[in-house]
PDB file of all heavy atoms in Angstrom:
ATOM      1  N   TRP A  43      38.432  23.151  13.979  1.00 67.00           N
ATOM      2  CA  TRP A  43      37.250  22.737  13.182  1.00 67.00           C
ATOM      3  C   TRP A  43      36.002  23.346  13.709  1.00 67.00           C
ATOM      4  O   TRP A  43      35.142  23.911  12.957  1.00 67.00           O
ATOM      5  CB  TRP A  43      37.149  21.157  13.155  1.00 67.00           C
ATOM      6  CG  TRP A  43      35.888  20.738  12.640  1.00 67.00           C
ATOM      7  CD1 TRP A  43      35.323  20.807  11.387  1.00 67.00           C
ATOM      8  CD2 TRP A  43      34.859  20.042  13.423  1.00 67.00           C
ATOM      9  NE1 TRP A  43      34.273  20.307  11.330  1.00 67.00           N
ATOM     10  CE2 TRP A  43      33.884  19.730  12.533  1.00 67.00           C
ATOM     11  CE3 TRP A  43      34.854  19.497  14.649  1.00 67.00           C
ATOM     12  CZ2 TRP A  43      32.661  19.116  12.898  1.00 67.00           C
ATOM     13  CZ3 TRP A  43      33.687  18.891  15.103  1.00 67.00           C
ATOM     14  CH2 TRP A  43      32.631  18.657  14.230  1.00 67.00           C
ATOM     15  N   ILE A  44      35.762  23.316  15.001  1.00 71.00           N
ATOM     16  CA  ILE A  44      34.613  23.949  15.597  1.00 71.00           C
ATOM     17  C   ILE A  44      34.509  25.457  15.263  1.00 71.00           C
ATOM     18  O   ILE A  44      33.407  25.911  14.911  1.00 71.00           O
ATOM     19  CB  ILE A  44      34.558  23.740  17.111  1.00 71.00           C
ATOM     20  CG1 ILE A  44      34.351  22.212  17.394  1.00 71.00           C
ATOM     21  CG2 ILE A  44      33.437  24.505  17.754  1.00 71.00           C
ATOM     22  CD1 ILE A  44      34.396  21.770  18.825  1.00 71.00           C
ATOM     23  N   ARG A  45      35.658  26.061  15.373  1.00 75.00           N
ATOM     24  CA  ARG A  45      35.619  27.507  14.920  1.00 75.00           C
ATOM     25  C   ARG A  45      35.297  27.751  13.477  1.00 75.00           C
ATOM     26  O   ARG A  45      34.522  28.659  13.141  1.00 75.00           O
ATOM     27  CB  ARG A  45      36.878  28.164  15.327  1.00 75.00           C
ATOM     28  CG  ARG A  45      37.053  28.658  16.724  1.00 75.00           C
ATOM     29  CD  ARG A  45      38.245  29.561  16.957  1.00 75.00           C
ATOM     30  NE  ARG A  45      39.509  28.945  16.553  1.00 75.00           N
ATOM     31  CZ  ARG A  45      40.225  28.093  17.413  1.00 75.00           C
ATOM     32  NH1 ARG A  45      39.706  27.819  18.605  1.00 75.00           N
ATOM     33  NH2 ARG A  45      41.302  27.603  17.017  1.00 75.00           N
ATOM     34  N   ASN A  46      35.873  26.846  12.681  1.00 76.00           N
ATOM     35  CA  ASN A  46      35.657  27.066  11.208  1.00 76.00           C
ATOM     36  C   ASN A  46      34.246  26.639  10.765  1.00 76.00           C
ATOM     37  O   ASN A  46      33.733  27.147   9.774  1.00 76.00           O
ATOM     38  CB  ASN A  46      36.650  26.298  10.464  1.00 76.00           C
ATOM     39  CG  ASN A  46      38.037  27.021  10.448  1.00 76.00           C
ATOM     40  OD1 ASN A  46      38.004  28.201  10.612  1.00 76.00           O
ATOM     41  ND2 ASN A  46      39.065  26.219  10.252  1.00 76.00           N
ATOM     42  N   ASP A  47      33.790  25.588  11.410  1.00 79.00           N
ATOM     43  CA  ASP A  47      32.708  24.890  10.848  1.00 79.00           C
ATOM     44  C   ASP A  47      31.482  24.944  11.871  1.00 79.00           C
ATOM     45  O   ASP A  47      31.321  24.010  12.534  1.00 79.00           O
ATOM     46  CB  ASP A  47      33.055  23.492  10.482  1.00 79.00           C
ATOM     47  CG  ASP A  47      31.950  22.714   9.800  1.00 79.00           C
ATOM     48  OD1 ASP A  47      30.863  23.319   9.580  1.00 79.00           O
ATOM     49  OD2 ASP A  47      32.078  21.519   9.438  1.00 79.00           O
ATOM     50  N   ILE A  48      30.687  26.000  11.795  1.00 82.00           N
ATOM     51  CA  ILE A  48      29.726  26.134  12.764  1.00 82.00           C
ATOM     52  C   ILE A  48      28.659  25.054  12.556  1.00 82.00           C
ATOM     53  O   ILE A  48      28.076  24.613  13.512  1.00 82.00           O
ATOM     54  CB  ILE A  48      29.191  27.587  12.678  1.00 82.00           C
ATOM     55  CG1 ILE A  48      28.192  27.883  13.844  1.00 82.00           C
ATOM     56  CG2 ILE A  48      28.459  27.933  11.381  1.00 82.00           C
ATOM     57  CD1 ILE A  48      28.971  27.922  15.210  1.00 82.00           C
ATOM     58  N   ARG A  49      28.306  24.775  11.257  1.00 83.00           N
ATOM     59  CA  ARG A  49      27.266  23.652  11.004  1.00 83.00           C
ATOM     60  C   ARG A  49      27.567  22.368  11.593  1.00 83.00           C
ATOM     61  O   ARG A  49      26.803  21.705  12.238  1.00 83.00           O
ATOM     62  CB  ARG A  49      27.139  23.512   9.589  1.00 83.00           C
ATOM     63  CG  ARG A  49      26.311  24.667   8.957  1.00 83.00           C
ATOM     64  CD  ARG A  49      25.637  24.131   7.577  1.00 83.00           C
ATOM     65  NE  ARG A  49      26.441  24.606   6.504  1.00 83.00           N
ATOM     66  CZ  ARG A  49      26.069  24.476   5.168  1.00 83.00           C
ATOM     67  NH1 ARG A  49      24.944  23.789   5.029  1.00 83.00           N
ATOM     68  NH2 ARG A  49      26.877  24.936   4.334  1.00 83.00           N
ATOM     69  N   GLY A  50      28.881  21.938  11.509  1.00 84.00           N
ATOM     70  CA  GLY A  50      29.276  20.691  12.005  1.00 84.00           C
ATOM     71  C   GLY A  50      29.163  20.733  13.541  1.00 84.00           C
ATOM     72  O   GLY A  50      28.796  19.820  14.262  1.00 84.00           O
ATOM     73  N   ALA A  51      29.591  21.833  14.203  1.00 85.00           N
ATOM     74  CA  ALA A  51      29.659  22.043  15.583  1.00 85.00           C
ATOM     75  C   ALA A  51      28.240  21.988  16.189  1.00 85.00           C
ATOM     76  O   ALA A  51      28.009  21.295  17.164  1.00 85.00           O
ATOM     77  CB  ALA A  51      30.269  23.208  16.037  1.00 85.00           C
ATOM     78  N   VAL A  52      27.316  22.743  15.390  1.00 88.00           N
ATOM     79  CA  VAL A  52      25.826  22.666  15.843  1.00 88.00           C
ATOM     80  C   VAL A  52      25.354  21.182  15.834  1.00 88.00           C
ATOM     81  O   VAL A  52      24.632  20.697  16.698  1.00 88.00           O
ATOM     82  CB  VAL A  52      25.097  23.525  15.043  1.00 88.00           C
ATOM     83  CG1 VAL A  52      23.492  23.392  15.282  1.00 88.00           C
ATOM     84  CG2 VAL A  52      25.390  25.018  15.335  1.00 88.00           C
ATOM     85  N   SER A  53      25.649  20.480  14.774  1.00 89.00           N
ATOM     86  CA  SER A  53      25.131  19.166  14.547  1.00 89.00           C
ATOM     87  C   SER A  53      25.725  18.210  15.749  1.00 89.00           C
ATOM     88  O   SER A  53      24.901  17.506  16.265  1.00 89.00           O
ATOM     89  CB  SER A  53      25.630  18.498  13.209  1.00 89.00           C
ATOM     90  OG  SER A  53      25.206  19.353  12.159  1.00 89.00           O
ATOM     91  N   LEU A  54      26.896  18.388  15.975  1.00 89.00           N
ATOM     92  CA  LEU A  54      27.580  17.579  17.014  1.00 89.00           C
ATOM     93  C   LEU A  54      26.971  17.916  18.385  1.00 89.00           C
ATOM     94  O   LEU A  54      26.563  17.009  19.111  1.00 89.00           O
ATOM     95  CB  LEU A  54      29.028  17.836  17.138  1.00 89.00           C
ATOM     96  CG  LEU A  54      29.832  16.951  18.061  1.00 89.00           C
ATOM     97  CD1 LEU A  54      29.833  15.509  17.561  1.00 89.00           C
ATOM     98  CD2 LEU A  54      31.296  17.417  18.174  1.00 89.00           C
ATOM     99  N   GLY A  55      26.661  19.229  18.602  1.00 89.00           N
ATOM    100  CA  GLY A  55      26.052  19.580  19.813  1.00 89.00           C
ATOM    101  C   GLY A  55      24.632  18.992  19.950  1.00 89.00           C
ATOM    102  O   GLY A  55      24.146  18.469  21.074  1.00 89.00           O
ATOM    103  N   PHE A  56      23.888  18.980  18.803  1.00 91.00           N
ATOM    104  CA  PHE A  56      22.551  18.486  18.795  1.00 91.00           C
ATOM    105  C   PHE A  56      22.642  17.009  19.153  1.00 91.00           C
ATOM    106  O   PHE A  56      21.699  16.491  19.966  1.00 91.00           O
ATOM    107  CB  PHE A  56      21.940  18.665  17.474  1.00 91.00           C
ATOM    108  CG  PHE A  56      20.429  18.169  17.373  1.00 91.00           C
ATOM    109  CD1 PHE A  56      19.402  18.805  17.886  1.00 91.00           C
ATOM    110  CD2 PHE A  56      20.168  16.985  16.757  1.00 91.00           C
ATOM    111  CE1 PHE A  56      18.112  18.363  17.740  1.00 91.00           C
ATOM    112  CE2 PHE A  56      19.040  16.388  16.703  1.00 91.00           C
ATOM    113  CZ  PHE A  56      17.954  17.099  17.164  1.00 91.00           C
ATOM    114  N   LEU A  57      23.499  16.250  18.573  1.00 92.00           N
ATOM    115  CA  LEU A  57      23.560  14.826  18.856  1.00 92.00           C
ATOM    116  C   LEU A  57      23.948  14.501  20.273  1.00 92.00           C
ATOM    117  O   LEU A  57      23.523  13.622  20.914  1.00 92.00           O
ATOM    118  CB  LEU A  57      24.556  14.198  17.860  1.00 92.00           C
ATOM    119  CG  LEU A  57      24.112  14.273  16.457  1.00 92.00           C
ATOM    120  CD1 LEU A  57      25.135  13.846  15.392  1.00 92.00           C
ATOM    121  CD2 LEU A  57      22.823  13.341  16.271  1.00 92.00           C
ATOM    122  N   LEU A  58      24.890  15.367  20.848  1.00 92.00           N
ATOM    123  CA  LEU A  58      25.296  15.185  22.269  1.00 92.00           C
ATOM    124  C   LEU A  58      24.010  15.390  23.168  1.00 92.00           C
ATOM    125  O   LEU A  58      23.830  14.747  24.090  1.00 92.00           O
ATOM    126  CB  LEU A  58      26.454  16.143  22.584  1.00 92.00           C
ATOM    127  CG  LEU A  58      27.826  15.670  21.942  1.00 92.00           C
ATOM    128  CD1 LEU A  58      28.959  16.786  22.320  1.00 92.00           C
ATOM    129  CD2 LEU A  58      28.201  14.384  22.410  1.00 92.00           C
ATOM    130  N   LEU A  59      23.295  16.451  22.771  1.00 92.00           N
ATOM    131  CA  LEU A  59      22.060  16.807  23.498  1.00 92.00           C
ATOM    132  C   LEU A  59      21.171  15.640  23.580  1.00 92.00           C
ATOM    133  O   LEU A  59      20.505  15.234  24.486  1.00 92.00           O
ATOM    134  CB  LEU A  59      21.363  18.009  22.966  1.00 92.00           C
ATOM    135  CG  LEU A  59      20.169  18.424  23.583  1.00 92.00           C
ATOM    136  CD1 LEU A  59      20.401  19.171  24.898  1.00 92.00           C
ATOM    137  CD2 LEU A  59      19.274  19.376  22.745  1.00 92.00           C
ATOM    138  N   LEU A  60      21.127  14.960  22.441  1.00 90.00           N
ATOM    139  CA  LEU A  60      20.230  13.786  22.170  1.00 90.00           C
ATOM    140  C   LEU A  60      20.687  12.734  23.130  1.00 90.00           C
ATOM    141  O   LEU A  60      19.829  11.851  23.783  1.00 90.00           O
ATOM    142  CB  LEU A  60      20.181  13.347  20.736  1.00 90.00           C
ATOM    143  CG  LEU A  60      19.050  12.643  20.179  1.00 90.00           C
ATOM    144  CD1 LEU A  60      17.908  13.591  20.283  1.00 90.00           C
ATOM    145  CD2 LEU A  60      19.228  12.164  18.758  1.00 90.00           C
ATOM    146  N   VAL A  61      21.966  12.462  23.251  1.00 92.00           N
ATOM    147  CA  VAL A  61      22.535  11.423  24.170  1.00 92.00           C
ATOM    148  C   VAL A  61      22.143  11.802  25.513  1.00 92.00           C
ATOM    149  O   VAL A  61      21.772  10.889  26.388  1.00 92.00           O
ATOM    150  CB  VAL A  61      24.041  11.342  23.973  1.00 92.00           C
ATOM    151  CG1 VAL A  61      24.615  10.490  25.013  1.00 92.00           C
ATOM    152  CG2 VAL A  61      24.377  10.860  22.609  1.00 92.00           C
ATOM    153  N   VAL A  62      22.332  13.067  25.925  1.00 91.00           N
ATOM    154  CA  VAL A  62      21.893  13.474  27.361  1.00 91.00           C
ATOM    155  C   VAL A  62      20.463  13.209  27.594  1.00 91.00           C
ATOM    156  O   VAL A  62      20.055  12.655  28.695  1.00 91.00           O
ATOM    157  CB  VAL A  62      22.320  14.936  27.559  1.00 91.00           C
ATOM    158  CG1 VAL A  62      21.818  15.449  28.871  1.00 91.00           C
ATOM    159  CG2 VAL A  62      23.901  15.157  27.432  1.00 91.00           C
ATOM    160  N   VAL A  63      19.629  13.564  26.659  1.00 88.00           N
ATOM    161  CA  VAL A  63      18.120  13.391  26.810  1.00 88.00           C
ATOM    162  C   VAL A  63      17.900  11.843  26.977  1.00 88.00           C
ATOM    163  O   VAL A  63      17.106  11.494  27.831  1.00 88.00           O
ATOM    164  CB  VAL A  63      17.387  13.982  25.643  1.00 88.00           C
ATOM    165  CG1 VAL A  63      16.038  13.409  25.586  1.00 88.00           C
ATOM    166  CG2 VAL A  63      17.446  15.451  25.648  1.00 88.00           C
ATOM    167  N   SER A  64      18.605  11.063  26.184  1.00 87.00           N
ATOM    168  CA  SER A  64      18.305   9.586  26.265  1.00 87.00           C
ATOM    169  C   SER A  64      18.702   9.111  27.624  1.00 87.00           C
ATOM    170  O   SER A  64      18.020   8.405  28.285  1.00 87.00           O
ATOM    171  CB  SER A  64      19.342   8.866  25.309  1.00 87.00           C
ATOM    172  OG  SER A  64      19.013   9.324  23.976  1.00 87.00           O
ATOM    173  N   LEU A  65      19.896   9.575  28.214  1.00 90.00           N
ATOM    174  CA  LEU A  65      20.390   9.107  29.523  1.00 90.00           C
ATOM    175  C   LEU A  65      19.457   9.562  30.551  1.00 90.00           C
ATOM    176  O   LEU A  65      19.100   8.772  31.621  1.00 90.00           O
ATOM    177  CB  LEU A  65      21.746   9.549  29.806  1.00 90.00           C
ATOM    178  CG  LEU A  65      22.853   8.941  28.879  1.00 90.00           C
ATOM    179  CD1 LEU A  65      24.208   9.568  29.136  1.00 90.00           C
ATOM    180  CD2 LEU A  65      22.884   7.383  29.056  1.00 90.00           C
ATOM    181  N   LEU A  66      18.850  10.787  30.488  1.00 86.00           N
ATOM    182  CA  LEU A  66      18.007  11.400  31.516  1.00 86.00           C
ATOM    183  C   LEU A  66      16.595  11.212  31.379  1.00 86.00           C
ATOM    184  O   LEU A  66      15.789  11.882  32.020  1.00 86.00           O
ATOM    185  CB  LEU A  66      18.456  12.866  31.640  1.00 86.00           C
ATOM    186  CG  LEU A  66      19.839  13.211  32.117  1.00 86.00           C
ATOM    187  CD1 LEU A  66      20.120  14.666  32.210  1.00 86.00           C
ATOM    188  CD2 LEU A  66      20.252  12.538  33.416  1.00 86.00           C
ATOM    189  N   ALA A  67      16.232  10.434  30.289  1.00 81.00           N
ATOM    190  CA  ALA A  67      14.790  10.304  29.851  1.00 81.00           C
ATOM    191  C   ALA A  67      13.819  10.145  31.063  1.00 81.00           C
ATOM    192  O   ALA A  67      12.821  10.972  31.148  1.00 81.00           O
ATOM    193  CB  ALA A  67      14.509   9.187  28.931  1.00 81.00           C
ATOM    194  N   PRO A  68      14.166   9.311  32.051  1.00 84.00           N
ATOM    195  CA  PRO A  68      13.206   9.107  33.130  1.00 84.00           C
ATOM    196  C   PRO A  68      13.121  10.327  34.042  1.00 84.00           C
ATOM    197  O   PRO A  68      12.087  10.492  34.701  1.00 84.00           O
ATOM    198  CB  PRO A  68      13.780   7.910  34.047  1.00 84.00           C
ATOM    199  CG  PRO A  68      14.762   7.256  33.045  1.00 84.00           C
ATOM    200  CD  PRO A  68      15.289   8.272  32.080  1.00 84.00           C
ATOM    201  N   VAL A  69      14.157  11.183  34.090  1.00 82.00           N
ATOM    202  CA  VAL A  69      14.117  12.393  34.937  1.00 82.00           C
ATOM    203  C   VAL A  69      13.387  13.482  34.208  1.00 82.00           C
ATOM    204  O   VAL A  69      12.570  14.195  34.857  1.00 82.00           O
ATOM    205  CB  VAL A  69      15.564  12.810  35.268  1.00 82.00           C
ATOM    206  CG1 VAL A  69      15.527  13.994  36.231  1.00 82.00           C
ATOM    207  CG2 VAL A  69      16.371  11.664  35.751  1.00 82.00           C
ATOM    208  N   ILE A  70      13.594  13.774  32.898  1.00 81.00           N
ATOM    209  CA  ILE A  70      13.019  14.925  32.326  1.00 81.00           C
ATOM    210  C   ILE A  70      11.647  14.650  31.801  1.00 81.00           C
ATOM    211  O   ILE A  70      10.819  15.627  31.710  1.00 81.00           O
ATOM    212  CB  ILE A  70      13.924  15.393  31.172  1.00 81.00           C
ATOM    213  CG1 ILE A  70      14.763  14.434  30.597  1.00 81.00           C
ATOM    214  CG2 ILE A  70      14.634  16.725  31.478  1.00 81.00           C
ATOM    215  CD1 ILE A  70      15.666  14.917  29.415  1.00 81.00           C
ATOM    216  N   ALA A  71      11.320  13.441  31.412  1.00 77.00           N
ATOM    217  CA  ALA A  71       9.958  13.187  30.819  1.00 77.00           C
ATOM    218  C   ALA A  71       8.892  13.509  31.928  1.00 77.00           C
ATOM    219  O   ALA A  71       8.917  13.004  33.027  1.00 77.00           O
ATOM    220  CB  ALA A  71       9.837  11.850  30.351  1.00 77.00           C
ATOM    221  N   PRO A  72       7.881  14.266  31.565  1.00 79.00           N
ATOM    222  CA  PRO A  72       6.805  14.678  32.576  1.00 79.00           C
ATOM    223  C   PRO A  72       5.971  13.473  32.824  1.00 79.00           C
ATOM    224  O   PRO A  72       5.388  13.529  34.042  1.00 79.00           O
ATOM    225  CB  PRO A  72       6.032  15.763  31.853  1.00 79.00           C
ATOM    226  CG  PRO A  72       6.412  15.652  30.439  1.00 79.00           C
ATOM    227  CD  PRO A  72       7.701  15.049  30.360  1.00 79.00           C
ATOM    228  N   TYR A  73       5.707  12.521  32.003  1.00 78.00           N
ATOM    229  CA  TYR A  73       4.919  11.347  32.206  1.00 78.00           C
ATOM    230  C   TYR A  73       5.598  10.125  31.866  1.00 78.00           C
ATOM    231  O   TYR A  73       6.701  10.054  31.241  1.00 78.00           O
ATOM    232  CB  TYR A  73       3.589  11.440  31.408  1.00 78.00           C
ATOM    233  CG  TYR A  73       2.714  12.630  31.706  1.00 78.00           C
ATOM    234  CD1 TYR A  73       2.889  13.835  30.938  1.00 78.00           C
ATOM    235  CD2 TYR A  73       1.717  12.577  32.616  1.00 78.00           C
ATOM    236  CE1 TYR A  73       2.209  14.971  31.152  1.00 78.00           C
ATOM    237  CE2 TYR A  73       0.874  13.665  32.762  1.00 78.00           C
ATOM    238  CZ  TYR A  73       1.109  14.852  32.174  1.00 78.00           C
ATOM    239  OH  TYR A  73       0.324  15.821  32.369  1.00 78.00           O
ATOM    240  N   SER A  74       5.079   8.944  32.265  1.00 79.00           N
ATOM    241  CA  SER A  74       5.559   7.724  31.747  1.00 79.00           C
ATOM    242  C   SER A  74       5.145   7.546  30.242  1.00 79.00           C
ATOM    243  O   SER A  74       4.082   8.050  29.922  1.00 79.00           O
ATOM    244  CB  SER A  74       4.992   6.544  32.460  1.00 79.00           C
ATOM    245  OG  SER A  74       4.797   5.438  31.584  1.00 79.00           O
ATOM    246  N   PRO A  75       5.992   7.048  29.349  1.00 81.00           N
ATOM    247  CA  PRO A  75       5.655   7.009  27.881  1.00 81.00           C
ATOM    248  C   PRO A  75       4.401   6.009  27.670  1.00 81.00           C
ATOM    249  O   PRO A  75       3.867   6.199  26.658  1.00 81.00           O
ATOM    250  CB  PRO A  75       6.959   6.522  27.353  1.00 81.00           C
ATOM    251  CG  PRO A  75       7.648   5.729  28.356  1.00 81.00           C
ATOM    252  CD  PRO A  75       7.294   6.365  29.666  1.00 81.00           C
ATOM    253  N   THR A  76       4.057   5.199  28.554  1.00 78.00           N
ATOM    254  CA  THR A  76       3.066   4.220  28.200  1.00 78.00           C
ATOM    255  C   THR A  76       1.791   4.522  29.168  1.00 78.00           C
ATOM    256  O   THR A  76       0.881   3.792  29.037  1.00 78.00           O
ATOM    257  CB  THR A  76       3.555   2.748  28.599  1.00 78.00           C
ATOM    258  OG1 THR A  76       4.111   2.685  29.878  1.00 78.00           O
ATOM    259  CG2 THR A  76       4.587   2.393  27.562  1.00 78.00           C
ATOM    260  N   GLU A  77       1.876   5.640  29.920  1.00 75.00           N
ATOM    261  CA  GLU A  77       0.680   5.914  30.780  1.00 75.00           C
ATOM    262  C   GLU A  77      -0.439   6.398  29.944  1.00 75.00           C
ATOM    263  O   GLU A  77      -0.284   7.421  29.254  1.00 75.00           O
ATOM    264  CB  GLU A  77       1.147   6.939  31.837  1.00 75.00           C
ATOM    265  CG  GLU A  77       0.039   7.395  32.802  1.00 75.00           C
ATOM    266  CD  GLU A  77       0.540   8.568  33.648  1.00 75.00           C
ATOM    267  OE1 GLU A  77       1.746   8.754  33.990  1.00 75.00           O
ATOM    268  OE2 GLU A  77      -0.255   9.422  33.813  1.00 75.00           O
ATOM    269  N   GLN A  78      -1.644   5.780  30.079  1.00 77.00           N
ATOM    270  CA  GLN A  78      -2.778   6.208  29.280  1.00 77.00           C
ATOM    271  C   GLN A  78      -3.740   6.967  30.078  1.00 77.00           C
ATOM    272  O   GLN A  78      -4.045   6.639  31.188  1.00 77.00           O
ATOM    273  CB  GLN A  78      -3.384   4.929  28.668  1.00 77.00           C
ATOM    274  CG  GLN A  78      -2.490   4.156  27.910  1.00 77.00           C
ATOM    275  CD  GLN A  78      -3.138   2.903  27.196  1.00 77.00           C
ATOM    276  OE1 GLN A  78      -4.376   2.706  27.381  1.00 77.00           O
ATOM    277  NE2 GLN A  78      -2.411   2.125  26.500  1.00 77.00           N
ATOM    278  N   ASP A  79      -4.147   8.052  29.551  1.00 74.00           N
ATOM    279  CA  ASP A  79      -5.192   8.966  30.098  1.00 74.00           C
ATOM    280  C   ASP A  79      -6.246   9.290  29.142  1.00 74.00           C
ATOM    281  O   ASP A  79      -6.031  10.089  28.256  1.00 74.00           O
ATOM    282  CB  ASP A  79      -4.456  10.253  30.608  1.00 74.00           C
ATOM    283  CG  ASP A  79      -5.532  11.129  31.132  1.00 74.00           C
ATOM    284  OD1 ASP A  79      -6.714  10.892  31.382  1.00 74.00           O
ATOM    285  OD2 ASP A  79      -5.102  12.368  31.468  1.00 74.00           O
ATOM    286  N   TYR A  80      -7.368   8.462  29.151  1.00 74.00           N
ATOM    287  CA  TYR A  80      -8.353   8.624  28.044  1.00 74.00           C
ATOM    288  C   TYR A  80      -9.027   9.876  27.929  1.00 74.00           C
ATOM    289  O   TYR A  80      -9.499  10.387  26.912  1.00 74.00           O
ATOM    290  CB  TYR A  80      -9.294   7.497  28.102  1.00 74.00           C
ATOM    291  CG  TYR A  80      -8.766   6.184  27.746  1.00 74.00           C
ATOM    292  CD1 TYR A  80      -8.443   5.137  28.780  1.00 74.00           C
ATOM    293  CD2 TYR A  80      -8.530   5.729  26.432  1.00 74.00           C
ATOM    294  CE1 TYR A  80      -7.874   4.033  28.401  1.00 74.00           C
ATOM    295  CE2 TYR A  80      -7.892   4.634  26.100  1.00 74.00           C
ATOM    296  CZ  TYR A  80      -7.550   3.779  27.065  1.00 74.00           C
ATOM    297  OH  TYR A  80      -6.993   2.570  26.850  1.00 74.00           O
ATOM    298  N   ASN A  81      -8.964  10.674  29.137  1.00 75.00           N
ATOM    299  CA  ASN A  81      -9.548  12.027  29.120  1.00 75.00           C
ATOM    300  C   ASN A  81      -8.696  12.969  28.205  1.00 75.00           C
ATOM    301  O   ASN A  81      -9.083  14.054  27.741  1.00 75.00           O
ATOM    302  CB  ASN A  81      -9.664  12.651  30.456  1.00 75.00           C
ATOM    303  CG  ASN A  81     -10.700  11.893  31.254  1.00 75.00           C
ATOM    304  OD1 ASN A  81     -11.747  11.417  30.707  1.00 75.00           O
ATOM    305  ND2 ASN A  81     -10.384  11.660  32.489  1.00 75.00           N
TER     306      ASN A  81
END
Side-chain angles (χ1 to χ4, degrees):
Chain A
W43 166 63
I44 291 176
R45 273 194 302 279
N46 280 338
D47 183 2
I48 189 71
R49 279 203 262 187
V52 169
S53 304
L54 187 64
F56 179 81
L57 294 170
L58 289 177
L59 181 72
L60 210 59
V61 174
V62 173
V63 167
S64 302
L65 293 175
L66 297 180
V69 185
I70 21 179
Y73 298 88
S74 148
T76 50
E77 182 190 319
Q78 303 183 357
D79 171 9
Y80 288 104
N81 293 324

